[in-house]
Amino acid sequence: MDMDDKTPRDQGVVPPPPHPVSECPPRLLVIGAGSRGRAYGRAVISSSNGVLSAVAEPDDYKRNKFGTTMIWGSTLPPPEGASFRDWREFVAYETERRARAEAGEKDVPLGIDAAFVCVLDEMHREVVVALSKLGGIHIMCEKPMATTLDHCLDMYKALQDNVDATGQQTVFSIGHVLRYSPHNKLLRKLLLEDRVIGDILSVVHTEPVGWWHFTHSYVRGNWRRERTSAPSLLTKSCHDIDVLLWLLCSPPDCSSRGCPPPHLPSTVSSTGSLQYFKKSRKPLAAGAATNCLSCPIEQSCKYSAKRIYVGPELVGVGTGNRGWPLSIVIPDIESYGTGQDAEAAVLANLAEDYDDNTTNAEVAQRNWFGRCVYESDNDVCDEQIVTISWDEDPRPSSPLSSQDGSSGSTTLTAPLADNLRGRGSKLATFHMVAQTKEVCERYTRLYGVDGEMCADSKTITVHNFNTGQSITHSTQVESLGHGGGDAGLTRQFVMAVDMVKNHGWSTDRAQRELIGCTLDEVIRSHAMVFCAEKARKERKVVDWAEWWSKEVESKLDSE
């Protein structure tokens, strides 16, 4: 093949069909029927062998919409144990239901086997800890795990105590959906199993958030303030950091026992700030306006809320859209029959604003989608770079090394390069950037000793230095949700629950072989985000081992 030939070559990586339905399929609860809860609900129906049995959601419209479309249909009222106003109501009901069943009461409804936790990020800890105390429920928690490191560690400890009737720790999964997309699964196979570019030397990974998407979520929306949510590196990009560790830290295959240890990072550094969406960038012609609908330059401003949410250009009512992000602005947007009615409802929301007389608590407790992007109360980074380094770390137990019986030292019996096998020094750079045309269509460059790779969320091109050939691989995707990652994660989680419930698998086996991610890996990738934030705020290079020992190990050991 000519070295410039980049004709796509389909690998035949087709998403598998749902696992065959068991006689007693997994019964599933979704806590939080927002955009992520609905995404997982749809994936359960389309891609898994589970059954949606219950929903817990405080918003009446969201709860009833989810229930009628995915659980109880036209049956009214909903069946017992199917509809809850919040997670606390579910926990109270389930505690009573178990007591009734243990007392021998007849016709007690079946309980649920697993829960998808899709509430606001800052609520994850209290929900997961409560479910763990209830015991026996397998949990999938949307990312991030929690908004502080201490809350993550609280959840880690609670999850270790969440055991089923046999005393086994239950299955846990985190919403790091990027691990489960056909594209990224193929990327990892090419890198770590096929070793198409040999040992990896460096990776440069970019998440382009999208210029209008960033304003929706991180300037006007839920995740705009660090003190009420978390840093944008955590809320937006924790699964990008996870993917980097999955590629560069985790062993190629841990599906069996005796998995080799991870290649742990050496140093972490980060730079970034709120560069653009602040008052000092406000156009002079906008004057004192704080809301788009009263701004004299609204028609010419690309960040006009009216343009984004109402107009025909992007994702507004004028495009015919009734889903995200309009469903965040107006949760019941689908209930408005005509375009004019929907437009009027959106405009009424956009007109809402605050002034100097509004308390900080009032401002913080809700979203302000009509607010000027230069006059908002946002403070999270809109641009950030994280750099992670690894030192050489050959495994003493390698078959290419031997142990000196007298001194206990390790003697290499083969060239060091052969002995490293993926544990050589390497570097990863992550870039989160707001001002992009692409919306979350990540792209990655990977450099190895034998070649380089370029991945763009759709294709993976490998150039081999030895042959001069370039080959492009592509995958088939079953859904648009994170490149098929939403469906992939849901399928694997529900399958893991099914294999434990109906096919005699241990939860440890299901965790290793089907989830493919341990609780320790979840903590490590979240800890990396908090470590990077320390490096950014203190303008320093952080020693990973020292930081981990102080901030993670010591706190877990003290318990």
Side-chain angles (χ1 to χ4, degrees), residues 242-365:
D242 176 71
V243 162
L244 289 174
L245 296 184
W246 185 48
L247 297 177
L248 301 175
C249 177
S250 300
D253 181 14
C254 276
S255 60
S256 60
R257 291 184 179 275
C259 179
H263 184 194
L264 296 175
S266 300
T267 66
V268 183
S269 61
S270 180
T271 58
S273 64
L274 176 59
Q275 291 188 335
Y276 186 72
F277 296 105
K278 52 188 178 179
K279 194 164 186 174
S280 60
R281 298 278 194 170
K282 185 178 181 180
L284 292 176
T290 60
N291 184 278
C292 290
L293 300 193
S294 60
C295 179
I297 63 168
E298 179 273 319
Q299 291 188 354
S300 61
C301 179
K302 61 180 175 290
Y303 299 109
S304 162
K306 188 174 181 181
R307 178 189 180 196
I308 294 171
Y309 299 114
V310 178
E313 300 174 55
L314 298 168
V315 289
V317 174
T319 67
N321 177 36
R322 295 296 184 274
W324 184 91
L326 287 179
S327 59
I328 305 299
V329 180
I330 306 290
D332 60 346
I333 188 69
E334 292 178 310
S335 67
Y336 291 87
T338 67
Q340 288 183 335
D341 291 340
E343 180 176 324
V346 172
L347 286 172
N349 179 281
L350 300 184
E352 296 172 1
D353 201 3
Y354 56 88
D355 56 28
D356 293 341
N357 295 319
T358 313
T359 66
N360 181 63
E362 290 177 285
V363 174
Q365 72 182 1

Side-chain angles (χ1 to χ4, degrees), residues 186-198:
L186 175 59
L187 175 64
R188 192 171 194 268
K189 177 181 182 297
L190 291 170
L191 274 177
L192 303 187
E193 295 180 30
D194 301 345
R195 293 176 54 81
V196 294
I197 61 172

